[in-house]
Amino acid sequence: RHGHLSPKESYLFQKIGFWKDHYEGDETSFNWYAKGTPLTMDYGTYTGDAGVCASHNLVEITDLDPLRRGYLADHMFSPVLDYTHCELPVVMKLLWGRVRSFAEIDNKDGKVDRMQTPYFYIGDKNPVGPKVWQVRLLLFVKPDYIALFDRVYGDVPHRYNLHITGDAPVRDGSLISSKGRFDLDLKVLVQHPAEFEMETGELIPGPDRYGRGEDNPHRQNWFRLYNKNDGFYRTLLFAQERGRQVTLERVGRAGMKVTTPEYTDFVFLHNEPVEERLADVTFSGGVGWIRRTASGQVQAMVRDGDAISAFGVRLTGRGPWLYNVDGKGGIQLAGGPPRAVKVEHPSRD
């Protein structure tokens, strides 16, 4: 949360792990009320325009078993940013004896006549495999944006789904934008894949009760990204006020740059260590963030890694830690054994 009880309160909710009798294929999905505005909602509703999991804000795999459960592998909460690392062992439900394509599951209501499939849900002769695993890293930099890293292990179809309360999304290269129905627009950077296919549509929940088209206040547009080259998706979702200048850029192998009148950020997300050595920023690790504010203050976080440097400051030391998030210039360890984090200012040397 951010700005709790204020008119511009932000609330981000993510679903992961066991929750009573909830079996709806929505592990790692999220709802984001950004600065008092519903921006990306996950209603958990299903219509005939999509397969069941396509109705959620997540990376979808065909024919997964909705009974499977993920778990929260790591997390960090702070006044400046929040972070979650979710892992999902995937069990495939191969009622047809194989993994189906998205073309075969779309425009279906998710209901299956078990008498019409070659195999039942459970049986000694049922085929198994392939081995599949999913990872989602989510970094909420309050209150402006969410950075996401998704990875699918296994030879299965997958796609990235996002539902938005604004107008139909428009693509311009690696950027996707949607004019908001309320007071915020959504700006999205697709850092990876560099090449992807995209489709758009509209989800209208409860049409018999709430109406269709603009008469339905709960309608959402959506977009889906298809990566045909590997199992990675790295994206950044920015809640942009009207008239505010915001620039989103790709940086290196695993990084993204955010530039606003108030600050400049670099953020890195990967579930394996990366080495970034660029002219204006360096990073060694998996998850890191560094900011320079308009007043010249530098703040940073390394959750998984050893070093990050930019804006004339170099920080070295095993994460997790935060630097100067309270404006006092100190290091806050966020777990692990006692250790030192070195702060240097090479530009002053």
Side-chain angles (χ1 to χ4, degrees):
R1 303 181 89 140
H2 180 270
H4 185 42
L5 299 181
S6 74
K8 295 295 184 180
E9 177 178 3
S10 294
Y11 178 66
L12 177 65
F13 169 83
Q14 185 178 30
K15 164 66 175 65
I16 186 69
F18 180 79
W19 180 253
K20 202 176 179 182
D21 296 323
H22 182 93
Y23 307 116
E24 296 182 348
D26 57 358
E27 296 290 84
T28 77
S29 63
F30 64 89
N31 287 274
W32 184 22
Y33 288 83
K35 310 171 197 175
T37 298
L39 193 63
T40 63
M41 299 291 99
D42 187 321
Y43 296 139
T45 55
Y46 311 130
T47 68
D49 74 330
V52 172
C53 293
S55 299
H56 297 295
N57 293 329
L58 46 67
V59 170
E60 177 189 5
I61 294 174
T62 60
D63 286 335
L64 60 81
D65 188 341
L67 292 176
R68 58 84 190 241
R69 283 293 176 270
Y71 61 93
L72 185 63
D74 191 17
H75 70 280
M76 180 178 69
F77 301 134
S78 77
V80 176
L81 45 81
D82 293 339
Y83 167 73
T84 60
H85 172 172
C86 298
E87 300 270 347
L88 295 87
V90 178
V91 177
M92 307 304 295
K93 188 167 64 175
L94 304 182
L95 300 179
W96 287 264
R98 58 183 174 80
V99 181
R100 293 178 298 165
S101 67
F102 283 113
E104 292 176 283
I105 70 168
D106 281 341
N107 301 308
K108 305 293 192 303
D109 61 6
K111 298 178 182 178
V112 177
D113 183 349
R114 302 291 167 76
M115 301 303 295
Q116 302 298 317
T117 61
Y119 299 94
F120 287 97
Y121 181 57
I122 298 176
D124 294 338
K125 297 182 179 181
N126 284 26
V128 296
K131 296 180 179 178
V132 182
W133 195 276
Q134 283 185 267
V135 176
R136 166 162 274 186
L137 311 182
L138 183 154
L139 183 66
F140 177 30
V141 181
K142 305 175 185 180
D144 281 340
Y145 65 88
I146 298 171
L148 294 162
F149 171 79
D150 291 282
R151 186 171 188 175
V152 177
Y153 295 88
D155 186 16
V156 290
H158 51 78
R159 65 185 177 192
Y160 175 108
N161 302 322
L162 189 72
H163 298 77
I164 53 182
T165 58
D167 293 347
V170 177
R171 177 181 176 183
D172 181 11
S174 62
L175 296 173
I176 301 169
S177 60
S178 169
K179 183 179 179 181
R181 191 189 314 168
F182 306 104
D183 59 339
L184 295 176
D185 298 334
L186 180 66
K187 192 168 188 175
V188 179
L189 170 68
V190 181
Q191 197 272 359
H192 187 92
E195 298 181 2
F196 58 89
E197 298 175 11
M198 174 177 163
E199 63 181 1
T200 62
E202 189 175 35
L203 183 72
I204 304 175
D208 296 335
R209 181 178 181 182
Y210 300 109
R212 299 180 181 275
E214 294 185 1
D215 293 334
N216 189 323
H218 306 293
R219 71 191 185 280
Q220 289 198 99
N221 282 287
W222 50 256
F223 67 82
R224 300 176 189 147
L225 310 180
Y226 293 85
N227 179 358
K228 302 296 182 65
N229 297 317
D230 56 36
F232 298 87
Y233 298 88
R234 187 179 293 104
T235 56
L236 192 146
L237 320 178
F238 196 102
Q240 182 178 14
E241 292 85 355
R242 305 276 163 77
R244 187 181 182 190
Q245 296 299 310
V246 176
T247 303
L248 308 179
E249 304 172 71
R250 293 170 171 160
V251 174
R253 174 189 171 193
M256 295 168 280
K257 183 179 182 181
V258 181
T259 306
T260 75
E262 298 79 23
Y263 59 79
T264 300
D265 285 6
F266 291 101
V267 57
F268 299 91
L269 285 175
H270 202 71
N271 70 327
E272 295 178 354
V274 296
E275 294 289 336
E276 301 279 15
R277 295 288 183 268
L278 305 169
D280 46 2
V281 62
T282 66
F283 176 64
S284 175
V287 179
W289 166 85
I290 189 166
R291 162 178 291 181
R292 181 178 61 194
T293 66
S295 64
Q297 288 282 319
V298 175
Q299 301 173 309
M301 178 277 295
V302 168
R303 182 64 197 177
D304 177 18
D306 299 292
I308 192 167
S309 67
F311 313 122
V313 178
R314 181 168 58 222
L315 300 118
T316 309
R318 184 63 189 168
W321 48 258
L322 301 107
Y323 168 68
N324 195 32
V325 293
D326 57 1
K328 298 180 180 179
I331 294 289
Q332 298 178 19
L333 299 182
R339 61 201 181 280
V341 177
K342 189 176 182 180
V343 182
E344 301 174 283
H345 298 83
S347 61
R348 300 177 185 175
D349 297 342

